[in-house]
Amino acid sequence: MVVMVRVEVQDSTGFTTNAPTGDAVLDTRVVIGHGIQFFKDSEATFTKSREYFGNVRKPFALTVMGQRLYIVTSPQDVSAIYKNTTTLTFDEFVRDMMLSFGASKEGVRKMWESPRTGGNVSSLHKVLAHAGEDYYRQQFHPGDRLNDLWTNIQDRMSLCLQWSTITGKNEFPTQHDFKTVSLMNLCQDTLLSSATSAVFGDRLLELAPNLLKAFIVFDDESWKLTYKLPPFLAKDMHKARQQIFAALQSYFALPRRERAGATWVVDILETEMRRIQVEDHDIAALFGMPFWMSEADDSYPSINGNAYKLCFWYMAYLVSDPKLLRVVRAEVEPAVSQGLLGLEGRLEECPQLVAAYHEVLRYHTASASVRSVAAPTDLGGLTLDPGAKVLLPYRQLHFDESIFGPNVDKFDAGRFLAKTGLSKSPSFRPFGGGTTYCAGRHVARRELLTFAALMVYRYDIEISPANFGEAQGGFPRCDVKKPSLGVLPPVAGDDMILNLRKRRGDV
């Protein structure tokens, strides 16, 4: 089905003067599957619309098949939306995702309507859906619980990246003095297995050894779930989602003594769900959300959804720039040589390592936050209509030349070194903000910095002649057109094939 997207910019009296008379119409056609996917290239649509109205960064509306979306691209308006938790709500999106992931209406009702009578003080008298957000923050924000979880993840990552195990599922033969690996496979194997087993214990992957394969398929196709494409247009996604769901259902059906090792937040959330008589089916579905959740702006953490793609891009830039590689290696060697204990703190003192991390986030994050308009809401002198949605596409902020400089379309590993405080700019929102500030951001940061540090410390790394993909030996291309809920993936088929030679022993 082909529909016309109507783009409007409003002020207190109507449409702006730089719009045509009457409704402002942007001559853009998009392919819609049952009213779900309303753009083929979302970023191009946002940019063209913003520039159409003089790049003043006022909110504009996209009306698609009767649903009005207000698109917000200024940091001031984004900050105002974060502060408004009364007439602009995130709850509707969370409820919808719970149902989309397979939870029953009754299970969702219990999560949102059953009163809280116990638990942590900050969670008293909250519905369990909101109390759960508190629990995730307690687990994933700095403190003893995060330290315990991080030690587990870090130890597993270190084991995955040892010379004896680093080949993982890569299809390349080992030579006498070097190993050839797929960078994407290495990032997936290391990050997904480490985080999954650290959060749920070893039993989950023992029950479902193909779970992570299913997850990778689902993650790649998950935008179809968010946009509610019908099953016949999303067969691979629904099949993979069902495999994830089945694995989690089998896991939670076991007595707890048979699945030891889960982290605190899994135990307490399961306990609270069972207290209000949430069924095993719904427990599995409700844990499926944080197991995947690629949305960077979400009070639930993304256990698996973004870190491996961040690591892929970071390492791709690192090994493609010999000077950057030398600088980062010189920074991290003193930190890593002291061992794993306390490594995350020492890596924060490596300025180029951290600056390149920020630039990867700026350049490759394409997440967007959603709010529902519950009542007439003023935003920068405009009135948002009830029933509409508000969309905050953060990539529009990250490519603002007035903030990040004239070369925003290029990756610049020194950008965040050259301009002090840039990472604290209100235009830099890789993890969202407000009440939906991503709970998993601290773990994601530690995962990437540690992965990069261990790799450059332990190995000499070079791009293999076997490097392949559509780029044919070139740098992997970023898939900016495919709808994304978090970190943008490379174009299908693009990868980076690396030769690794051991430099020194494991720490």
Side-chain angles (χ1 to χ4, degrees):
M1 181 184 299
V2 179
V3 301
M4 183 70 74
V5 175
R6 192 176 69 186
V7 181
E8 309 163 357
V9 172
Q10 295 176 297
D11 59 22
S12 58
T13 60
F15 296 100
T16 57
T17 56
N18 63 336
T21 302
D23 286 0
V25 178
L26 180 65
D27 188 15
T28 301
R29 289 182 178 269
V30 294
V31 178
I32 308 293
H34 288 261
I36 301 161
Q37 183 190 1
F38 56 89
F39 39 66
K40 292 176 66 177
D41 185 344
S42 59
E43 288 303 320
T45 301
F46 297 147
T47 300
K48 188 174 182 179
S49 302
R50 173 170 50 79
E51 293 175 348
Y52 179 78
F53 294 109
N55 200 25
V56 295
R57 292 190 175 269
K58 277 192 173 184
F60 56 87
L62 299 179
T63 302
V64 182
M65 299 194 67
Q67 175 64 64
R68 172 166 290 194
L69 292 175
Y70 292 105
I71 311 301
V72 177
T73 65
S74 84
Q76 294 80 14
D77 290 338
V78 168
S79 296
I81 288 169
Y82 288 154
K83 294 175 183 177
N84 185 335
T85 59
T86 54
T87 64
L88 300 177
T89 72
F90 190 65
D91 290 353
E92 183 178 336
F93 175 80
V94 176
R95 287 191 190 95
D96 194 49
M97 289 306 300
M98 287 178 172
L99 292 169
S100 295
F101 216 88
S104 69
K105 291 183 179 180
E106 176 64 13
V108 173
R109 184 195 66 77
K110 290 178 179 179
M111 291 292 292
W112 288 93
E113 294 185 10
S114 297
R116 298 272 299 125
T117 58
N120 186 278
V121 173
S122 66
S123 303
L124 288 173
H125 312 302
K126 292 184 178 181
V127 298
L128 186 50
H130 287 165
E133 295 171 357
D134 291 343
Y135 293 147
Y136 278 117
R137 293 187 187 102
Q138 292 173 54
Q139 179 68 76
F140 286 91
H141 283 197
D144 290 343
R145 292 190 177 107
L146 174 59
N147 291 340
D148 291 343
L149 173 61
W150 172 244
T151 297
N152 197 342
I153 293 175
Q154 181 179 243
D155 288 347
R156 293 173 185 274
M157 288 177 58
S158 178
L159 180 61
C160 289
L161 296 178
Q162 289 180 3
W163 180 255
S164 60
T165 57
I166 198 169
T167 49
K169 298 181 179 68
N170 294 291
E171 65 270 33
F172 304 99
T174 299
Q175 306 299 321
H176 69 283
D177 63 341
F178 68 91
K179 293 183 177 183
T180 302
V181 300
S182 155
L183 177 58
M184 179 56 80
N185 286 352
L186 179 62
C187 293
Q188 290 172 338
D189 295 346
T190 301
L191 274 300
L192 297 180
S193 64
S194 297
T196 298
S197 295
V199 170
F200 291 97
D202 294 322
R203 192 70 177 120
L204 179 57
L205 292 183
E206 291 172 356
L207 285 170
N210 292 321
L211 173 61
L212 299 184
K213 287 184 179 180
F215 171 81
I216 292 167
V217 174
F218 177 78
D219 190 42
D220 192 51
E221 299 284 307
S222 58
W223 61 273
K224 297 177 181 179
L225 183 73
T226 303
Y227 294 147
K228 299 182 181 178
L229 264 67
F232 76 92
L233 292 176
K235 292 181 180 179
D236 289 344
M237 182 275 290
H238 283 288
K239 179 180 178 181
R241 182 190 65 83
Q242 183 56 38
Q243 289 175 309
I244 295 170
F245 171 79
L248 289 169
Q249 190 171 23
S250 296
Y251 173 84
F252 283 107
L254 292 174
R256 289 196 186 188
R257 65 180 181 275
E258 296 182 19
R259 46 183 170 92
T263 196
W264 173 83
V265 72
V266 173
D267 286 338
I268 192 169
L269 269 178
E270 181 186 358
T271 296
E272 291 299 314
M273 288 183 195
R274 294 194 185 282
R275 184 183 65 81
I276 59 174
Q277 299 180 339
V278 175
E279 302 293 336
D280 284 352
H281 172 99
D282 290 322
I283 291 175
L286 294 168
F287 271 103
M289 285 179 56
F291 179 79
W292 155 63
M293 213 66 184
S294 284
E295 291 279 356
D297 185 16
D298 192 354
S299 49
Y300 288 83
S302 173
I303 295 171
N304 285 320
N306 288 307
Y308 75 88
K309 285 173 280 191
L310 283 174
C311 281
F312 172 83
W313 289 118
Y314 192 101
M315 293 302 301
Y317 288 113
L318 199 58
V319 301
S320 299
D321 186 339
K323 181 179 178 181
L324 178 62
L325 179 58
R326 286 195 300 270
V327 172
V328 169
R329 178 173 282 146
E331 285 184 348
V332 305
E333 281 193 330
V336 181
S337 65
Q338 298 178 51
L340 295 178
L341 182 62
L343 176 60
E344 70 278 6
R346 297 191 296 274
L347 293 180
E348 292 292 339
E349 303 301 319
C350 300
Q352 182 60 82
L353 176 76
V354 173
Y357 164 71
H358 287 144
E359 179 69 351
V360 169
L361 286 172
R362 183 196 73 83
Y363 198 71
H364 288 283
T365 299
S367 56
S369 186
V370 180
R371 299 292 190 272
S372 299
V373 184
T377 301
D378 291 333
L379 181 66
L382 309 179
T383 299
L384 309 184
D385 298 328
K389 306 288 186 185
V390 181
L391 190 66
L392 288 63
Y394 297 121
R395 193 169 172 83
Q396 291 292 307
L397 300 180
H398 295 171
F399 280 67
D400 186 344
E401 293 184 0
S402 68
I403 303 298
F404 296 100
N407 65 334
V408 291
D409 292 332
K410 303 293 183 182
F411 179 88
D412 182 355
R415 187 185 309 275
F416 286 80
L417 281 177
K419 193 171 181 180
T420 304
L422 193 58
S423 64
K424 299 186 183 301
S425 167
S427 291
F428 185 58
R429 297 286 191 181
F431 295 106
T435 59
T436 55
Y437 202 8
C438 177
R441 64 192 184 275
H442 303 289
V443 170
R445 182 183 180 110
R446 293 183 184 188
E447 285 175 321
L448 185 145
L449 298 184
T450 300
F451 185 100
L454 291 179
M455 285 292 293
V456 302
Y457 179 84
R458 292 177 177 178
Y459 302 106
D460 285 321
I461 309 171
E462 61 182 16
I463 300 174
S464 171
N467 197 35
F468 67 92
E470 292 295 328
Q472 289 299 320
F475 193 84
R477 296 162 298 171
C478 184
D479 192 346
V480 296
K481 292 186 177 182
K482 185 174 185 178
S484 175
L485 303 177
V487 178
L488 291 167
V491 170
D494 282 14
D495 197 353
M496 184 166 278
I497 310 306
L498 306 178
N499 288 340
L500 308 179
R501 288 181 171 83
K502 194 172 183 179
R503 297 181 69 238
R504 59 184 77 222
D506 301 319
V507 294

